[in-house]
Amino acid sequence: MKEILNPNNSNFLTAIATVLLVLVGLVQIFILFSQKKQTRIALTEQYRQLWNSLKKYWGNVVFIGRENGEYYQILDEISINVLKARTEKHRLDKPTIWALESIQKVCGTLGEISTRVLQGHLNIADIYPIFGTQFLRQSRPLRQLLEPEYQNSYKTDETTEQHKRIRTEIQDWLVYHDGLRRRCLILIDLLWAEAARLEDLPPDDMQSAANAKQKTGHLNRKRVFEETIRLNGILNIFQAIKLSRFLRKAEYRSWTSWTGIKKVRLTNLNKEWTKRLLRDRLK
């Protein structure tokens, strides 16, 4: 024992060196994690400011994606009337600059953030507060632009031919930028899954989406899996599996997935939501 603790003993020196190396390694790991966290915070704040600067363009995209006469809009009445006037001036022989600029800026930002998430530079929990339910409640018109076949149950007869042609012009632009279109859809799906996990959405919305995902859920998971592999390579297969499985949080729980939405829980939330609405109306 005394020989081992002898400072002149080579085994003792080796043990001390090993301990020091382990401590240095732990410190380096801690520093790397801290730096990664600080980078995520900085990126999140950067994208928060960027998204806030795009509110006008986001309002334009919602206007294009919605039908004329739909109640829910982002922009104020004056801005909506300006867009209606611009829509009436649409010409087939010239591109609609304001509409194309809006979709390019909005989808460009969403696509960049989606890429960061797929690459693992940001977590969906990091960027969810930037958008929240305000974005998701208005995501239907954007999804209808990104996916023309997406079911719209709010059709009206008030959309002008000019409005329809501008929408088609935007959809044609997205067809030629299919990678960007896919990554925007992926971001919407991931944000919706996070909102469902936090129960931030009205029960009716979660139920409606979960019903739809009984048909489309596997396609959405396949899309995020393939896009993650496409961006990062096969070596990042665990990131692809992680993100694709995360989408199940917006689907009904099943024997193959225990992370989804419980139908019983959804029913109880619906009852609580209804009681709260009735109580507020009686005040």
Side-chain angles (χ1 to χ4, degrees):
M1 184 68 178
K2 290 181 179 179
E3 289 182 2
I4 295 175
L5 296 177
N6 185 353
N8 296 321
N9 187 290
S10 60
N11 291 334
F12 175 79
L13 295 176
T14 301
I16 292 296
T18 302
V19 171
L20 290 174
L21 286 172
V22 170
L23 290 174
V24 169
L26 290 174
V27 170
Q28 288 178 334
I29 291 172
F30 176 78
I31 291 173
L32 286 174
F33 273 109
S34 298
Q35 288 177 339
K36 187 175 181 180
K37 183 178 180 180
Q38 290 301 319
T39 301
R40 292 209 323 264
I41 292 173
L43 276 174
T44 301
E45 184 56 31
Q46 174 186 331
Y47 286 127
R48 184 190 304 278
Q49 295 176 10
L50 179 57
W51 181 248
N52 287 336
S53 70
L54 297 177
K55 289 299 173 65
K56 182 188 76 170
Y57 299 105
W58 172 230
N60 292 349
V61 169
V62 171
F63 171 80
I64 297 167
R66 288 198 181 278
E67 305 293 320
N68 273 356
E70 281 197 48
Y71 176 77
Y72 292 104
Q73 297 285 349
I74 291 177
L75 301 176
D76 56 48
E77 186 177 357
I78 295 175
S79 300
I80 293 295
N81 289 333
V82 170
L83 291 179
K84 286 180 179 179
R86 286 181 174 181
T87 301
E88 292 173 0
K89 295 178 182 178
H90 171 72
R91 291 175 55 180
L92 290 174
D93 60 336
K94 289 186 178 181
T96 311
I97 300 300
W98 64 269
L100 289 172
E101 183 183 21
S102 297
I103 198 67
Q104 287 166 6
K105 286 183 177 293
V106 168
C107 286
T109 299
L110 297 179
E112 183 179 339
I113 294 174
S114 180
T115 299
R116 292 284 192 177
V117 172
L118 294 175
Q119 291 175 334
H121 299 154
L122 286 173
N123 296 325
I124 195 65
D126 295 325
I127 56 100
Y128 175 75
I130 298 175
F131 300 98
T133 56
Q134 296 87 355
F135 172 80
L136 291 174
R137 295 299 299 275
Q138 297 282 358
S139 63
R140 180 176 61 82
L142 174 58
R143 187 179 281 276
Q144 286 172 184
L145 293 172
L146 295 167
E147 288 184 304
E149 66 277 11
Y150 183 77
Q151 183 179 4
N152 177 10
S153 58
Y154 301 95
K155 290 282 187 184
T156 70
D157 296 326
E158 299 183 31
T159 301
T160 63
E161 285 302 316
Q162 292 96 326
H163 193 136
K164 290 179 181 177
R165 285 199 293 264
I166 291 174
R167 183 183 298 165
T168 301
E169 187 178 349
I170 296 303
Q171 290 169 339
D172 288 345
W173 184 86
L174 288 166
V175 166
Y176 286 103
H177 298 81
D178 193 53
L180 180 62
R181 185 189 69 85
R182 288 195 310 269
R183 289 187 288 277
C184 289
L185 286 168
I186 286 170
L187 183 62
I188 294 173
D189 289 337
L190 289 171
L191 288 171
W192 192 276
E194 177 67 1
R197 183 183 74 84
L198 297 174
E199 296 183 350
D200 278 356
L201 295 163
D204 284 344
D205 288 355
M206 287 195 291
Q207 185 176 31
S208 176
N211 288 336
K213 291 178 189 300
Q214 288 180 314
K215 294 181 179 179
T216 62
H218 69 287
L219 297 175
N220 297 342
R221 282 183 265 114
K222 181 173 181 284
R223 179 167 56 204
V224 71
F225 182 90
E226 292 178 347
E227 194 70 17
T228 305
I229 296 299
R230 184 179 292 109
L231 286 172
N232 305 319
I234 192 65
L235 293 179
N236 285 280
I237 189 171
F238 291 110
Q239 174 74 353
I241 295 172
K242 172 187 167 185
L243 290 174
S244 61
R245 287 189 63 82
F246 183 77
L247 293 185
R248 287 187 177 272
K249 294 186 181 297
E251 301 176 28
Y252 288 125
R253 183 171 294 196
S254 65
W255 66 273
T256 58
S257 172
W258 291 87
T259 62
I261 302 170
K262 290 182 179 179
K263 292 185 178 181
V264 174
R265 173 63 178 167
L266 203 56
T267 300
N268 292 335
L269 285 173
N270 221 333
K271 290 178 181 177
E272 292 175 12
W273 186 273
T274 303
K275 288 180 181 178
R276 196 179 307 122
L277 285 177
L278 290 173
R279 187 168 59 248
D280 292 341
R281 288 174 182 175
L282 291 173
K283 286 183 179 178

